[in-house]
Each structure stands twice: as C-alpha cells, then as structure tokens.
Amino acid sequence: EAQSLLKEALPEKFHSFIPEIRAYIIESFGNSTRIDYGSGHEMAFLMFLCCLFKIEAFLAEDQTAVVLKVFNSYIDLVRRLQITYRMEPAGSHGVWSLDDFQFVPFIFGSSQLMDNERIRPKSFINEDVVLACAKDYMFLGCIKYILEVKKGVFAEHSNQLWNISGVPTWSKVNQGLIKMYKAEVLAKFPVVQHILFGDLLSIEEAPKSNNL
C-alpha cells in the first residue's frame, strides 16, 4: 500500500516523486522472506527521509523533529516487528550494528546528549539511570531495549557498547560512532549491494569535500 499511503501523506506537488521514494520505504522494515532486519533496512529508511528533504517535503527547520519524532517512531515500530515476528539480525550478529539490529539511533542519541552535564557516557551502564531517562533520550532508549531483550552480563552481550561507556565525552562517542558507521556499514559490500539508486539519490560519485 506504499503508493496510496504516500499519496495520502504528501501534497500533490510531490506525487511525481513517489515511484522512486516508495522503493525506500518498502525496504525499511526488513525482509519478508528471510524474516530478518538489519542496518541495511535502517539505511533504507534514512534514504527515504533524505529523499523527502531533497524534494523539500521536509525543510531544514524540520531536522530536529524528523529525528526525534519521525525516526524515533520508526525505531519503535521496527522494534515491535523484531519482537512480534522474532526477526533475525541481517548479516553477522553484532558486526554491522551495535545491538544486532540498529546503529543510527546510537549516533542520533549521542548527539542529543552532547550538552548534557548530568548524564555521562559511563551513566548508560547504570540501569536505574536508563529506566529513569529512556523516554527522553534516544541513546538510553536503545540501551533499555537491549536490557529487555538480552539477558546476562551487559559487558558480555554488548561488548562494543560497554567499551563505549568508557569514552569520556558524548562528543567523542558521537565522532567515534560516525567513523564506525562509515567503516562498518557504508563501506561494507554486503550492506551497500542492496542500495537502490535513482534520480534523487544518484550512483554518481559526490564532489570531494574537506569535511569528509
């Protein structure tokens, strides 16, 4: 129903873009044959949002709301799908993502906490802090979900996150996660082989930038 849902959600002036952007929303919720979900599906939803920005259905001033409302709602939904259908992590467990399924909410979540003087990176291994603040902070919401679906010692079942808790500032956590995402997701053929390219998101190489 992607075609009709997008027609209902978007003003008519954007309808000519629907055949292209619908491909990304369809790929965003996992594979219905393998019953799996991974960071490639998560990336498809990011590409869907990126297209909405490119056609200016979303504007620059919408960025915060898109992350904290739209993307956060998406994460809540795919977590329900993962639990309800007992979805398998796509690819190797823990290689392409931080909690078997997701990666990007940890990037957005660490960015959200950058100016927070009360909650430090070492705080997210404290279950009391997580339970008290998970609704307000995306990163802690990710940790709460892990605590709900995994049993045992946190340092053993989520070793990468345990190591991250030792980083002194959220700024360094955020920088490290972005670097890790580029190396472990965007640079991995098993993930990017599934990317769909078109007019809005071209396969042509982007111009070189000093910021990259």
Side-chain angles (χ1 to χ4, degrees):
E1 298 180 11
Q3 183 87 7
S4 59
L5 289 171
L6 288 170
K7 278 188 175 181
E8 182 181 343
L10 293 170
E12 188 173 351
K13 64 180 179 178
F14 300 123
H15 286 186
S16 61
F17 298 106
I18 289 178
E20 185 168 346
I21 63 176
R22 69 187 288 272
Y24 301 116
I25 194 70
I26 289 172
E27 290 295 317
S28 297
F29 302 98
N31 186 282
S32 59
T33 301
R34 297 188 301 270
I35 317 297
D36 67 2
Y37 175 95
S39 48
H41 302 108
E42 178 187 73
M43 187 196 304
F45 190 73
L46 291 175
M47 295 174 80
F48 169 70
L49 295 178
C50 182
C51 287
L52 292 181
F53 275 105
K54 292 197 75 169
I55 67 176
E56 298 186 340
F58 287 139
L59 303 176
E61 55 265 33
D62 300 321
Q63 291 178 3
T64 301
V66 167
V67 170
L68 296 181
K69 294 293 186 180
V70 181
F71 184 77
N72 209 26
S73 295
Y74 163 75
I75 293 299
D76 286 342
L77 175 56
V78 294
R79 283 173 181 159
R80 288 171 57 195
L81 294 175
Q82 291 157 17
I83 293 172
T84 301
Y85 297 102
R86 298 181 181 180
M87 300 178 82
E88 289 290 322
S92 301
H93 291 241
V95 175
W96 316 127
S97 54
L98 295 173
D99 70 347
D100 289 345
F101 293 107
Q102 312 298 154
F103 197 120
V104 174
F106 292 95
I107 296 177
F108 288 153
S110 58
S111 178
Q112 184 189 14
L113 284 162
M114 273 189 195
D115 297 324
N116 194 299
E117 298 293 335
R118 187 169 57 91
I119 301 174
R120 304 289 187 179
K122 63 182 180 181
S123 302
F124 76 75
I125 58 175
N126 184 323
E127 188 170 344
D128 291 337
V129 174
V130 171
L131 295 177
C133 303
K135 289 184 178 180
D136 298 319
Y137 297 102
M138 189 180 293
F139 195 102
L140 299 183
C142 292
I143 303 300
K144 180 175 182 288
Y145 179 68
I146 291 173
L147 295 176
E148 290 172 350
V149 298
K150 292 190 175 183
K151 304 301 180 185
V153 180
F154 187 86
E156 294 178 359
H157 63 60
S158 301
N159 186 254
Q160 289 192 74
L161 287 169
W162 175 264
N163 292 334
I164 288 171
S165 71
V167 177
T169 66
W170 286 113
S171 178
K172 287 189 177 295
V173 169
N174 185 255
Q175 292 171 15
L177 288 175
I178 291 173
K179 184 177 180 181
M180 184 180 173
Y181 188 74
K182 290 179 179 179
E184 300 298 338
V185 179
L186 299 181
K188 296 297 184 182
F189 180 74
V191 178
V192 299
Q193 68 176 330
H194 300 295
I195 292 178
L196 299 171
F197 297 100
D199 291 331
L200 292 174
L201 298 177
S202 172
I203 198 172
E204 297 299 323
E205 186 175 359
K208 298 295 182 182
S209 170
N210 293 330
N211 297 324
L212 296 179

